[in-house]
Amino acid sequence: MEQGNHTVVTEFILLGFSNLLQLQVLLFVVFLVTFVITLTGNVLIILVTVADPTLQSPMYFFLWNLSFLEVCFNFVIVPKMLGNLLSENKSISFYGCVLQMYFFFFLGSSECFLLAAMAYDRYVAICNPLHYTIIMNRRVCIQLAVTSWFSGIPVGTVQTTWLFSFPFCGPNEVNHFFCDGPPVFKLVCANTSLFEMYALIGTIIVVMVPFLLILVSYIFIISNILRMPSAIGRRKAFSTCSSHLVVVTLFYSTSGLTYFWPKSTYSPGTKKLLSISYTVITPMLNPIIYSLRNKEVKEAMWKTLSRNILQKIDMIVHFPRGSVFQVLDILSVVLSQKRMQVGKYRSWQL
């Protein structure tokens, strides 16, 4: 359809991995497995941190917010990518592309600020532990979480509506597996110097401001940890923030290489690989990192899974009512006592 001298684009073609025709099925299986693991891990984190009374602290409040954000992030990107891998029709409607880009910017910006809020929580916990419960009260935690979520709305709204207000000259092939800003921007046929300046400034603010807040928080955290006289205290303090530090490193290293590295230094294929790392791989690794490096989360997951399994057994075998759960509670107490004994023994050895 033509309007004036321009073709009105009604849909876009997501080229994705169309150059790897022989690997389409293999890529579908790999990304499907990754998608299922991501959803399972993050949903389990949400259920455990919300339901378990021992995990009702600010750190786990922010953790389930992060897990919920990662679930939303995956639903924005992965289902369409999986469909395109098995279908010859790789098109996405104009407004479908608008929505996908909006939620990508919205969720990506929200994650930056949410990671900064989590860093502030760790700063207060380690540098000001005596006033931690007063400073990080429920009201403050909710305010930080809401601010983090709403911070992505102006970024997504302004950048998406402005970009799609430009005319598109006809070529509608997006050399990516989702509607990201830079590859769609290449299809615009208009003077976009002002938009480019805004996009650069907006990206710097959204990415670098939270990053600087995280960096400053960890400078104070590390300085405080190094001043601790006890090796056990230093180890315990570092373990409380190590998972968050790993997640921040993964997220910022991959997204930074994608949006701040000079464009001429890597091919579109390399950019797709980097995009996969922070849109697919990182959301899958986050619950694994937090569960493997956090004893409380592991214990809560074990207890939740064990209770569900024993509930099924109780229904099938018809044990006396509540007997299975009594056994589970006894086992939990015994395991907790064993862990305390091991901790005391190790402390005495050190």
Side-chain angles (χ1 to χ4, degrees):
M1 179 178 177
E2 293 187 358
Q3 185 175 354
N5 295 327
H6 300 303
T7 300
V8 177
V9 174
T10 58
E11 65 178 17
F12 294 96
I13 307 298
L14 297 175
L15 297 181
F17 306 98
S18 55
N19 59 320
L20 304 173
L21 291 176
Q22 297 179 345
L23 299 177
Q24 298 290 295
V25 176
L26 177 61
L27 289 173
F28 174 83
V29 173
V30 171
F31 290 135
L32 178 62
V33 171
T34 305
F35 183 58
V36 172
I37 293 173
T38 301
L39 294 185
T40 304
N42 283 290
V43 169
L44 189 57
I45 288 282
I46 295 170
L47 294 177
V48 167
T49 52
V50 170
D52 196 293
T54 63
L55 301 181
Q56 303 305 307
S57 67
M59 182 174 73
Y60 299 110
F61 170 77
F62 290 120
L63 178 57
W64 78 253
N65 271 271
L66 179 64
S67 292
F68 181 69
L69 190 148
E70 299 289 22
V71 170
C72 297
F73 202 80
N74 253 241
F75 271 113
V76 169
I77 304 295
V78 180
K80 182 62 180 175
M81 180 177 65
L82 291 174
N84 286 347
L85 285 171
L86 294 184
S87 174
E88 293 183 1
N89 181 16
K90 303 183 185 301
S91 64
I92 182 172
S93 68
F94 183 88
Y95 291 106
C97 189
V98 172
L99 286 174
Q100 189 180 52
M101 185 181 295
Y102 169 79
F103 282 108
F104 172 74
F105 286 141
F106 162 60
L107 294 170
S109 303
S110 299
E111 182 164 359
C112 290
F113 286 95
L114 185 58
L115 290 173
M118 296 173 76
Y120 176 71
D121 170 67
R122 293 299 83 209
Y123 159 75
V124 177
I126 293 173
C127 298
N128 203 354
L130 297 179
H131 298 91
Y132 177 66
T133 55
I134 299 174
I135 297 173
M136 297 302 295
N137 57 60
R138 184 173 181 80
R139 181 182 176 184
V140 170
C141 291
I142 292 174
Q143 287 176 343
L144 287 172
V146 170
T147 302
S148 299
W149 280 95
F150 277 87
S151 65
I153 294 178
V155 178
T157 302
V158 174
Q159 194 147 330
T160 304
T161 53
W162 195 354
L163 175 57
F164 282 95
S165 67
F166 290 117
F168 293 88
C169 296
N172 63 342
E173 293 184 343
V174 179
N175 193 10
H176 214 336
F177 57 87
F178 71 99
C179 286
D180 194 5
V184 174
F185 177 74
K186 291 180 179 179
L187 305 179
V188 171
C189 54
N191 183 6
T192 58
S193 55
L194 183 61
F195 174 80
E196 289 183 67
M197 184 184 301
Y198 160 78
L200 178 61
I201 295 172
T203 303
I204 291 174
I205 292 174
V206 169
V207 176
M208 294 307 297
V209 169
F211 177 75
L212 290 175
L213 292 174
I214 294 170
L215 184 62
V216 171
S217 297
Y218 273 103
I219 288 174
F220 283 105
I221 288 171
I222 294 171
S223 176
N224 191 276
I225 290 175
L226 293 177
R227 289 200 301 268
M228 292 180 179
S230 169
I232 297 174
R234 290 195 296 269
R235 190 183 306 114
K236 184 178 180 180
F238 184 74
S239 67
T240 63
C241 59
S242 58
S243 298
H244 176 257
L245 189 58
V246 172
V247 170
V248 168
T249 303
L250 285 173
F251 178 79
Y252 273 98
S253 60
T254 53
S255 58
L257 285 173
T258 303
Y259 293 103
F260 290 104
W261 202 259
K263 297 180 180 180
S264 60
T265 58
Y266 53 79
S267 65
T270 304
K271 184 172 180 178
K272 291 177 190 177
L273 186 62
L274 290 171
S275 298
I276 287 173
S277 62
Y278 69 84
T279 58
V280 179
I281 304 300
T282 300
M284 179 189 70
L285 292 178
N286 285 353
I288 297 174
I289 292 168
Y290 273 101
S291 60
L292 288 179
R293 301 186 65 87
N294 192 304
K295 291 182 180 179
E296 292 178 339
V297 174
K298 284 191 289 186
E299 291 171 6
M301 283 186 174
W302 179 87
K303 188 175 180 179
T304 301
L305 292 173
S306 301
R307 188 174 291 274
N308 290 334
I309 293 170
L310 290 176
Q311 186 178 18
K312 298 294 183 182
I313 296 173
D314 200 15
M315 293 172 60
I316 296 172
V317 183
H318 302 294
F319 284 121
R321 187 174 181 83
S323 62
V324 173
F325 297 115
Q326 292 175 3
V327 172
L328 178 60
D329 291 336
I330 293 171
L331 287 173
S332 298
V333 172
V334 171
L335 287 173
S336 298
Q337 291 176 347
K338 290 291 185 183
R339 279 190 293 270
M340 290 175 63
Q341 291 175 1
V342 171
K344 290 179 180 178
Y345 174 72
R346 288 178 178 172
S347 300
W348 179 78
Q349 277 189 320
L350 293 170

